[in-house]
């Protein structure tokens, strides 16, 4: 799938591994829709592309189909540091 790099970058919202539960379910940071990897029909969200880092899965780029937000699920710690350095929008939960 073609991705418009550079244009969409700033719209990506990063979520951290601890914001994904043990079943891989997470909430869209924007519209709070529950997104589950078991949603094979991709009605709630679309898996856009895996982002590789050093031959390992570094992050997963997904898109919420409800609000069209692009959400990057961080997998590798190295990439998380990079994301923070590049001042990506890191989704921060207000409650614990
Ligand atoms: Zn959403």
């Amino acid at each position: 799938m073609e991705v418009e790099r550079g244009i969409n970058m700033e719209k990506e919202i990063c979520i951290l591994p601890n914001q994904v539960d043990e079943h891989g379910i997470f909430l869209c940071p924007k519209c709070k829709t529950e997104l589950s990897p078991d949603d094979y029909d991709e009605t709630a969200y679309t898996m856009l592309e895996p982002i590789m880092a050093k031959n390992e899965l570094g992050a997963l780029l997904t898109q919420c189909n409800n609000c069209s937000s692009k959400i990057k699920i961080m997998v590798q710690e190295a990439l998380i540091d990079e994301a923070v350095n590049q001042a990506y929008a890191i989704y921060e939960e207000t409650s614990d």
Side-chain angles (χ1 to χ4, degrees):
M1 179 175 287
E2 190 175 328
V3 175
E4 299 168 37
R5 292 185 187 283
I7 297 171
N8 291 330
M9 291 285 274
E10 58 194 342
K11 290 191 215 159
E12 291 171 11
I13 306 167
C14 294
I15 66 168
L16 305 179
N18 64 8
Q19 292 166 335
V20 180
D21 81 3
E22 66 265 36
H23 305 294
I25 297 169
F26 59 97
L27 297 180
C28 172
K30 207 166 189 180
C31 68
K32 309 294 183 192
T33 297
E34 189 175 278
L35 306 176
S36 163
D38 294 333
D39 174 26
Y40 296 116
D41 294 336
E42 297 194 329
T43 48
Y45 80 108
T46 304
M47 190 68 70
L48 295 180
E49 61 171 348
I51 296 163
M52 305 302 285
K54 298 184 182 124
N55 296 321
E56 290 176 41
L57 182 63
L60 288 168
L61 185 61
T62 67
Q63 180 167 22
C64 173
N65 286 341
N66 187 48
C67 70
S68 298
S69 290
K70 287 197 170 56
I71 306 163
K72 193 187 268 183
I73 306 168
M74 310 305 288
V75 177
Q76 268 189 38
E77 295 228 1
L79 278 196
I80 296 171
D81 292 341
E82 196 175 295
V84 170
N85 289 337
Q86 292 180 5
Y88 278 113
I90 300 283
Y91 172 53
E92 298 200 35
E93 286 182 280
T94 49
S95 63
D96 54 23

